[in-house]
Amino acid sequence: MRPAFAALAAVVGILCVLLGLVAGRVDRAVTSGEAARTVATAALADADVVAQASQAIARAAVAQGQELTDSRAGDLAIAALQGPLESLAAQVLSSDQVRTAVAAGITRVETRLVDELTARERATAPFTVGVDIGAELNARLDEVPVVGAFAPDLEIAPVEVEVVDAATFDQVRTAYAGIRFAGDWLAWIGAALLAVGMALSRRRARYAGWSVLGLAVGALAVAFAVGAVAPRALASAMPGGESGGLGAFVSTFLSDSGLAGLTDLMMQVGIVTLVAAIVALVIDRRRGAARDVSGAGSRAEATVRGS
């Protein structure tokens, strides 16, 4: 029974270590701000989000402009700019350079995302980000004939844009709680199970070698599997698909670069553990050969004495 328990401990331990490493890397994507930039960039690539933001920015710009004018004619002229302002704001938001800059400068989005994902009590509500393109909008306005002459410099506050709806964000919060637990504890639990299996094993060097080899194969398999799929394809493979908590988390917050980071980590783990496994198995083989030679010598000596 001891070998069977040792083998079971090895299999479960390896799975726990792998899941813990994956969860830990995903958690770092959130806490480092990578996930926030991912969701902001994806939001600014969505036509509906761009339309929502550009309308809000145009309304704020018109209100700000009318406050700065001192005549009815000026107010009317500024009000007439709402349509052009919406178009201009949409162009700014859709620009690759501006989109990258806006995503990098989202108002406190990294801290907000972590806070709202980890809050023990949070009313069901969407996750929003503040989009600030006031300076760029003013610069573009100055370049537009006629419009630039009528529009003063505007100080437009960041506009809050919904990037994850309320129902999805609740599911994501639940999934993230599980990811944090797995990242904090599963690798340690797996290591403890591997230690128990080693204690039960009669040939510990062999056990260590095959266990580490299993970990290496698992890590490399994860690296190749993750490297071959896009976040949306990976999300569809999660329990419940994209509509489930894990699937929604993956499709919303993990980017191609985030998956590339996970792939790199698992490749590194796989290569290091593969080398360690080979070393352990070579040591076990040499010890086994030495025991065989010693045993043969002892038997020969006993035979000579008996004769």
Side-chain angles (χ1 to χ4, degrees):
M1 291 297 291
R2 288 181 60 181
F5 281 121
L8 179 62
V11 172
V12 177
I14 289 169
L15 290 175
C16 287
V17 170
L18 290 174
L19 288 174
L21 291 173
V22 170
R25 178 60 183 83
V26 172
D27 186 27
R28 283 196 297 278
V30 174
T31 56
S32 69
E34 180 183 324
R37 290 188 293 274
T38 296
V39 72
T41 302
L44 295 176
D46 187 295
D48 292 337
V49 173
V50 170
Q52 174 192 352
S54 59
Q55 290 169 9
I57 289 168
R59 287 194 297 269
V62 167
Q64 178 74 19
Q66 288 175 339
E67 289 178 3
L68 296 175
T69 61
D70 55 3
S71 67
R72 176 65 175 167
D75 287 349
L76 292 174
I78 295 296
L81 296 178
Q82 180 156 340
L85 281 170
E86 283 188 23
S87 299
L88 188 58
Q91 292 175 17
V92 172
L93 286 167
S94 299
S95 164
D96 287 339
Q97 285 184 328
V98 172
R99 188 182 300 160
T100 301
V102 169
I106 293 295
T107 307
R108 301 192 311 274
V109 68
E110 293 93 344
T111 302
R112 282 181 53 194
L113 178 60
V114 175
D115 289 345
E116 295 194 29
L117 281 173
T118 57
R120 290 189 177 182
E121 295 183 5
R122 180 185 183 273
T124 299
F127 179 72
T128 63
V129 296
V131 177
D132 184 4
I133 60 168
E136 183 65 26
L137 191 60
N138 277 314
R140 295 289 185 91
L141 277 173
D142 291 340
E143 300 170 2
V144 179
V146 182
V147 173
F150 278 95
D153 285 341
L154 306 174
E155 296 181 2
I156 304 170
V159 175
E160 291 296 318
V161 176
E162 177 183 314
V163 293
V164 184
D165 65 73
T168 299
F169 198 68
D170 275 351
Q171 292 179 320
V172 166
R173 276 170 43 82
T174 302
Y176 183 61
I179 289 169
R180 290 194 76 188
F181 174 85
D184 289 342
W185 295 105
L186 273 190
W188 294 107
I189 292 172
L193 286 171
L194 290 172
V196 169
M198 182 173 290
L200 293 174
S201 176
R202 292 187 176 89
R203 297 188 62 174
R204 293 179 180 177
R206 175 177 292 184
Y207 176 89
W210 284 108
S211 296
V212 177
L213 181 61
L215 181 59
V217 171
L220 293 173
V222 171
F224 285 116
V226 172
V229 300
R232 192 164 293 275
L234 183 60
S236 64
M238 295 291 106
E242 284 190 61
S243 59
L246 280 174
F249 181 92
V250 170
S251 62
T252 303
F253 293 113
L254 283 187
S255 64
D256 289 334
S257 62
L259 290 184
L262 176 57
T263 300
D264 291 343
L265 171 65
M266 300 311 289
M267 283 292 291
Q268 292 167 9
V269 171
I271 292 171
V272 171
T273 52
L274 181 60
V275 172
I278 292 172
V279 171
L281 290 173
V282 168
I283 291 173
D284 176 69
R285 186 178 183 86
R286 288 184 175 178
R287 286 180 177 176
R291 282 194 297 268
D292 291 342
V293 170
S294 176
S298 298
R299 287 193 297 272
E301 184 179 350
T303 302
V304 170
R305 287 178 180 176
S307 63

